[in-house]
């Protein structure tokens, strides 16, 4: 076999083709010493994507365990995530018994890690330790064994993690080989497929490099794979190849053919030959016989969608606004949970629910998961709100207004916190950017839009309003909606927030100003607007207020929109499609999934424009888009994710005159209604 064919034969072997030692005839060097160690690794987990797509995980795991149990000479390193341990409880307890049987015959080694598979570099040190200890406790409970190594989701690495890892008793961890520095140390001739020692503040641990999934793994014969591995054997050094393969690859590779053998059984026979240089092992044996390793520095990095990012996972997070907003919410709930005192059981439950929301999958940072993003965010919000509700200790928590930089942008937002509702107001746009309803454990401002919220203000011309009425939201102006509102007063006793903003309207740049007062109560809010014409000319425009509500079509039923049409003097029930009404006395939107009803009324009868927000029903491609538009544009796989309601009033103001508008929003829990 010639060196030139190695990169094409096995893609990831192209990285170390230069290390292959061949004889003059081009054949592998024969050696009686088994100095090439091959370690097969697997991750057992139940992902949210599998649940959303309704994959048959039970059949997959049944086939996997049947094959592994029959192949006694195939050692494995196994990471059984918390999701798998939860899934296999009850009627599936047989998987625990099978794993214990494999452990008893020393066929497998169990890895520790984060119970809910978080990106460790994004977490506070206390949560890193909490997640690892939760996993360690679960492994001890199920398997009476303490893990000594850990697996990192997406190989999300940062050197500061070494200290909490070692504090939890971890001696080694597995990292994607691509994270190792490209410069080869002279003391590491087999680099980068050689374990290394890493250090932080005097704490050290061993890093085993692993090779990620190779889609073409089973397309080559066991003999061809063996020859390529064996050809890298040299008498003076040992080589280590850890291969992380998906369960489906193992299932297929363990299937018996007509001759009664499988891909893996054939490969095991080749490795068992007397003069074979290849030794099958798992990480427990590697750790037991490890030698001192030269120290290296591995910079912060991660692997997303099988691509090395080249920088910290937090950098990836920072450039995705919606993901960063979710992360900011996590940090806020983390602060609430860790500040609890007095009720240890309640604090433990709050932290465990919070840790569930730290699952890396829920942040959807990988580009290949973009089509699932909104669905995953709704799952994350639910878990965060369950944890937040637990922090509201009876007799200690009180309704009211407070300030906190909840979105980590350097400005302190105003938070209205009630027993059943959260409403958070941002100074940018003066809007409610988060509306949490605890009866449904949903954030009803969580729409898949670049900018969404409640009580977003605009001043539109006649032409712009006509465009908006046909569903063209690009007609919306930046007057008020993109302004930074100044806080005039915050009255915590009366739960009032007064804001003020100024801007210029239309091409002639007429100066206008807006005073805005929120009055919060247990079931919603009242917003008073005072619009003033500060120019020496008459002002003729449409004052418009946008309220966005997330209500997804689901198996529980579609959202129901009803209103009272003042022109026809009758109540109407509508599907969520683009529509326009000149006079509406009131509007109601009911989320049948969360059983929450939103009612909106005004002191002066407004006009109304309805624009639904559509998203992908199923993630057909990574380029799945979310947009607003007419019902005709939402054919095929698209479904409603929410609605944008635009209330508007015709406004004619003389110079230095002002007008007042009032808009009420009431949120009712339909679960409590009989």
């Amino acid at each position: 076999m010639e060196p030139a064919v190695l990169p094409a034969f096995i893609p990831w072997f192209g990285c170390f083709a230069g290390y292959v030692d061949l004889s003059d005839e081009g054949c592998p060097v024969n050696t009686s010493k088994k100095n090439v160690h091959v370690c097969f690794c697997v991750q057992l987990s139940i992902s949210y994507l599998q649940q959303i797509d309704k994959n048959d995980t039970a059949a997959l795991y049944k086939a996997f365990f049947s094959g592994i149990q029959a192949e006694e000479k195939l050692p494995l390193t196994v990471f059984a995530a918390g999701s798998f341990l939860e899934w296999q409880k009850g009627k599936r307890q047989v998987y625990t018994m099978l794993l214990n049987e494999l452990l008893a015959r020393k066929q497998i080694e169990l890895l520790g890690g984060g119970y809910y598979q978080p990106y460790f570099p994004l977490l506070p040190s206390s949560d890193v330790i909490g997640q690892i200890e939760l996993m360690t406790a679960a492994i001890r409970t199920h398997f009476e064994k303490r893990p000594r190594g850990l697996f990192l989701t997406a190989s999300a690495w940062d050197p500061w993690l070494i200290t909490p890892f070692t504090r939890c008793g971890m001696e080694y961890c597995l990292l994607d080989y691509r994270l190792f520095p490209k410069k080869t140390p002279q003391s590491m001739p087999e680099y980068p497929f050689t374990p290394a020692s890493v250090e932080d503040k005097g704490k050290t641990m061993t890093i085993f490099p692993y090779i990620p999934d190779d889609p073409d793994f089973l397309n080559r014969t066991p003999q061809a794979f063996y020859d390529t591995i064996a050809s890298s054997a040299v008498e003076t050094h040992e080589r280590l190849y850890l291969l992380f393969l998906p369960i489906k690859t193992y299932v297929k590779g363990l299937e018996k053919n007509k001759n009664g053998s499988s891909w893996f059984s054939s490969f095991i026979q080749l490795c068992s030959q007397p003069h074979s240089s290849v030794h099958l092992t798992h990480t427990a044996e590697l750790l037991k016989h490890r030698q001192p390793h030269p120290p290296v520095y591995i910079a912060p990095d991660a692997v997303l969608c099988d691509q090395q990012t080249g920088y910290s996972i937090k950098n990836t997070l920072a450039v995705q606004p919606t993901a960063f907003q979710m992360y900011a919410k996590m940090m806020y709930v983390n602060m609430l949970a860790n500040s609890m005192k007095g009720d240890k059981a309640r604090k433990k439950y709050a932290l465990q629910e919070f840790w569930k929301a730290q699952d890396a999958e829920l942040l959807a940072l990988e580009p290949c998961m973009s089509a699932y993003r909104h669905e995953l965010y709704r799952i994350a919000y639910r878990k965060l709100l369950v944890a937040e509700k637990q922090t509201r200790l009876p007799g200690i928590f009180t309704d009211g207004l407070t300030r906190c930089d909840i979105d980590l942008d350097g400005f302190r937002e105003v938070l209205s916190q009630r027993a059943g509702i959260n409403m958070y107001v941002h100074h940018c746009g003066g809007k409610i950017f988060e509306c949490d309803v605890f009866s449904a454990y949903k954030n009803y401002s969580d729409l898949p839009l670049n900018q969404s919220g409640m009580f977003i203000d605009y001043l539109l011309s006649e032409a712009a309003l006509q465009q908006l009425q046909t569903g063209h939201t690009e007609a919306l102006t930046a007057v008020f909606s993109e302004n930074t509102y100044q806080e005039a007063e915050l009255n915590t006793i009366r739960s009032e927030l007064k804001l003020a903003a100024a801007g210029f309207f239309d091409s002639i740049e007429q100066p206008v100003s807006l005073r805005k007062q929120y009055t919060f109560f247990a079931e919603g809010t009242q917003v008073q607007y005072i619009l003033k014409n500060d120019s020496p000319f008459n002002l003729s425009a449409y004052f418009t207020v946008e309220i966005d509500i997330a209500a997804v079509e689901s198996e529980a039923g579609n959202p129901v929109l009803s209103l009272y049409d003042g022109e026809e003097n009758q109540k109407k029930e509508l599907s969520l499609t683009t529509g326009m009404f000149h006079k509406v006395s009131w509007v109601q939107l009911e989320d049948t999934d969360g059983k929450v009803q939103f009612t909106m009324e005004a002191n002066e009868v407004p006009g109304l424009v309805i624009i639904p927000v559509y998203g992908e029903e199923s993630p057909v491609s990574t380029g799945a888009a979310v947009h607003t538009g007419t019902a005709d544009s939402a054919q095929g796989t698209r479904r409603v994710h929410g609605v944008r309601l635009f209330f508007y009033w015709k406004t004619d103001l003389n110079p230095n005159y002002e007008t007042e508008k009032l808009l009420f929003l009431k949120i009712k829990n339909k679960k409590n209604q009989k």
Side-chain angles (χ1 to χ4, degrees):
M1 183 180 297
E2 297 179 1
V5 303
L6 290 175
F9 200 49
I10 301 180
W12 35 262
F13 270 101
C15 300
F16 58 86
Y19 300 128
V20 176
D21 188 5
L22 302 179
S23 66
D24 294 338
E25 291 78 22
C27 298
V29 173
N30 290 323
T31 173
S32 60
K33 183 181 180 182
K34 294 181 178 291
N35 60 356
V36 179
H37 302 285
V38 177
C39 177
F40 288 103
C41 309
V42 65
Q43 176 179 342
L44 309 181
S45 64
I46 309 297
S47 72
Y48 288 105
L49 302 191
Q50 289 175 321
Q51 297 174 44
I52 293 171
D53 291 341
K54 299 180 180 178
N55 291 343
D56 188 4
T57 51
L60 184 66
Y61 279 113
K62 182 179 179 180
F64 170 75
F65 277 98
S66 297
I68 292 298
Q69 190 180 28
E71 205 61 72
E72 296 186 11
K73 294 184 178 180
L74 177 63
L76 275 181
T77 296
V78 178
F79 173 62
S83 58
F84 174 80
L85 298 179
E86 296 287 338
W87 175 81
Q88 59 88 54
K89 288 180 179 178
K91 294 181 180 180
R92 304 188 188 99
Q93 193 70 27
V94 64
Y95 293 124
T96 297
M97 298 169 60
L98 290 173
L99 285 171
N100 273 306
E101 182 181 329
L102 297 173
L103 280 168
R105 63 194 194 194
K106 297 183 179 180
Q107 184 179 349
I108 66 171
E109 168 70 3
L110 287 177
L111 295 174
Y115 190 86
Y116 296 108
Q117 297 176 263
Y119 292 125
F120 277 130
L122 298 181
L123 308 187
S125 180
S126 59
D127 287 350
V128 173
I129 293 171
Q131 289 258 11
I132 295 174
E133 289 185 343
L134 187 62
M135 172 62 85
T136 299
I139 292 176
R140 280 179 165 173
T141 300
H142 290 289
F143 311 109
E144 298 182 354
K145 180 178 176 61
R146 183 184 73 83
R148 302 169 67 187
L150 52 79
F151 171 76
L152 303 187
T153 301
S155 284
W157 168 259
D158 202 297
W160 71 263
L161 292 169
I162 298 170
T163 298
F165 286 170
T166 55
R167 183 176 171 183
C168 294
M170 296 296 117
E171 299 177 42
Y172 69 93
C173 78
L174 275 58
L175 280 182
D176 191 303
Y177 78 95
R178 289 171 287 187
L179 269 64
F180 280 60
K182 301 300 183 287
K183 187 176 180 181
T184 305
Q186 293 182 355
S187 58
M188 298 176 67
E190 307 309 314
Y191 186 81
F193 296 98
T194 297
S197 177
V198 290
E199 177 274 339
D200 178 66
K201 300 179 179 65
K203 306 292 184 181
T204 61
M205 68 185 307
T206 300
I207 304 294
F208 288 120
Y210 71 82
I211 300 164
D213 173 32
D214 175 13
D216 297 324
F217 179 79
L218 295 178
N219 290 340
R220 61 188 69 89
T221 65
Q223 183 68 56
F225 182 71
Y226 174 84
D227 289 343
T228 309
I229 294 257
S231 66
S232 67
V234 291
E235 295 184 3
T236 55
H237 305 292
E238 291 189 346
R239 292 183 182 277
L240 168 64
Y241 304 129
L242 279 78
L243 284 75
F244 244 104
L245 302 174
I247 287 184
K248 290 183 179 179
T249 300
Y250 286 104
V251 170
K252 187 175 180 181
L254 291 165
E255 289 178 351
K256 303 291 184 181
N257 56 28
K258 291 183 294 185
N259 300 324
S261 63
S262 66
W263 192 101
F264 278 105
S265 62
S266 299
F267 182 71
I268 291 170
Q269 288 180 0
L270 293 170
C271 297
S272 302
Q273 297 174 113
H275 297 290
S276 171
S277 61
V278 180
H279 175 230
L280 293 178
T281 184
H282 52 57
T283 53
E285 289 187 27
L286 293 175
L287 190 69
K288 184 177 180 180
H289 299 98
R290 74 184 189 276
Q291 301 294 324
H293 304 297
V296 300
Y297 174 77
I298 300 178
D301 209 337
V303 177
L304 301 178
C305 285
D306 199 34
Q307 295 292 325
Q308 182 183 6
T309 63
Y311 41 75
S312 169
I313 192 71
K314 186 166 279 191
N315 186 291
T316 304
L317 178 78
V319 297
Q320 298 189 27
T322 51
F324 188 82
Q325 183 178 343
M326 180 65 66
Y327 167 77
K329 177 70 174 181
M330 289 181 182
M331 293 300 100
Y332 176 70
V333 176
N334 173 72
M335 180 269 294
L336 294 178
N338 282 295
S339 62
M340 292 176 66
K341 295 180 180 179
D343 193 334
K344 292 184 178 179
R346 194 176 180 118
K347 180 176 181 177
K348 181 179 178 181
Y349 179 73
L351 281 172
Q352 190 157 332
E353 289 298 313
F354 168 61
W355 289 339
K356 290 179 182 179
Q358 293 177 341
D359 192 306
E361 195 176 13
L362 296 179
L363 284 171
L365 293 183
E366 302 185 69
C368 50
M369 296 173 61
S370 61
Y372 294 90
R373 183 173 291 124
H374 188 62
E375 187 77 21
L376 295 171
Y377 283 0
R378 291 199 298 119
I379 296 172
Y381 259 114
R382 181 176 183 84
K383 299 182 184 304
L384 288 172
L385 293 178
V386 170
E388 183 175 353
K389 190 173 183 179
Q390 291 301 311
T391 67
R392 299 186 168 186
L393 298 173
I396 298 177
F397 173 78
T398 56
D399 295 346
L401 300 182
T402 185
R403 292 189 182 94
C404 180
D405 183 12
I406 193 171
D407 62 352
L408 305 179
D409 66 344
F411 283 84
R412 292 199 301 170
E413 289 73 44
V414 176
L415 316 184
S416 170
Q417 297 177 319
R418 304 281 164 167
I421 301 173
N422 284 340
M423 285 186 168
Y424 299 161
V425 181
H426 205 290
H427 289 85
C428 182
K431 66 180 180 181
I432 294 174
F433 67 96
E434 183 170 330
C435 178
D436 304 325
V437 180
F438 286 101
S439 63
Y441 293 113
K442 286 186 177 183
N443 170 19
Y444 280 95
S445 291
D446 181 28
L447 274 172
L449 299 170
N450 291 332
Q451 296 293 334
S452 66
M454 298 179 173
F455 300 98
I456 306 174
D457 315 317
Y458 306 94
L459 203 57
L460 304 180
S461 64
E462 177 81 32
L465 180 66
Q466 289 177 358
Q467 283 186 280
L468 180 64
Q469 290 170 346
T470 59
H472 294 86
T473 54
E474 61 271 16
L476 295 171
T477 64
V479 181
F480 302 133
S481 64
E482 296 183 6
N483 285 28
T484 299
Y485 282 64
Q486 302 301 314
E487 185 179 310
E489 182 182 349
L490 179 66
N491 191 317
T492 57
I493 297 175
R494 295 197 298 268
S495 292
E496 291 180 353
L497 169 64
K498 294 181 180 179
L499 303 171
F504 296 94
F505 173 67
D506 216 354
S507 58
I508 63 173
E509 295 193 344
Q510 284 183 265
V512 290
S513 59
L514 183 67
R515 301 199 301 275
K516 184 176 186 177
Q517 177 178 302
Y518 284 98
T519 303
F520 297 98
F521 48 89
E523 293 185 321
T525 184
Q526 165 194 300
V527 183
Q528 178 193 46
Y529 290 100
I530 298 178
L531 175 66
K532 185 179 180 182
N533 177 13
D534 293 320
S535 76
F537 307 104
N538 291 337
L539 173 68
S540 181
Y542 288 88
F543 178 61
T544 306
V545 177
E546 176 183 358
I547 295 180
D548 301 333
I549 302 175
V552 181
E553 292 178 345
S554 66
E555 295 178 357
N558 296 336
V560 178
L561 180 67
S562 57
L563 55 84
Y564 191 86
D565 188 340
E567 285 192 322
E568 299 183 11
N569 291 322
Q570 64 175 346
K571 178 183 175 182
K572 294 183 178 180
E573 288 195 359
L574 312 167
S575 59
L576 293 186
T577 56
T578 302
M580 185 267 294
F581 298 87
H582 294 293
K583 292 183 179 180
V584 290
S585 299
W586 51 262
V587 181
Q588 280 187 347
L589 178 68
E590 183 174 335
D591 174 30
T592 54
D593 181 43
K595 292 182 170 55
V596 176
Q597 185 184 78
F598 297 83
T599 303
M600 289 142 281
E601 298 180 80
N603 66 330
E604 294 182 20
V605 178
L608 174 67
V609 177
I610 304 168
I611 301 180
V613 179
Y614 295 103
E616 293 291 345
E617 183 177 6
S618 58
V620 179
S621 67
T622 57
V626 176
H627 73 287
T628 59
T630 63
D632 293 337
S633 66
Q635 296 176 353
T637 61
R638 296 193 178 278
R639 63 171 177 168
V640 170
H641 275 227
V643 64
R644 305 175 74 178
L645 302 173
F646 296 88
F647 298 88
Y648 66 89
W649 296 265
K650 182 69 169 72
T651 304
D652 293 299
L653 288 176
N654 293 328
N656 296 315
Y657 273 67
E658 57 188 31
T659 184
E660 179 191 31
K661 308 296 178 188
L662 282 173
L663 196 54
F664 304 88
L665 171 62
K666 186 176 182 180
I667 303 173
K668 184 181 294 185
N669 175 13
K670 297 287 288 184
K671 293 179 182 178
N672 296 333
Q673 287 188 323
K674 296 183 180 180

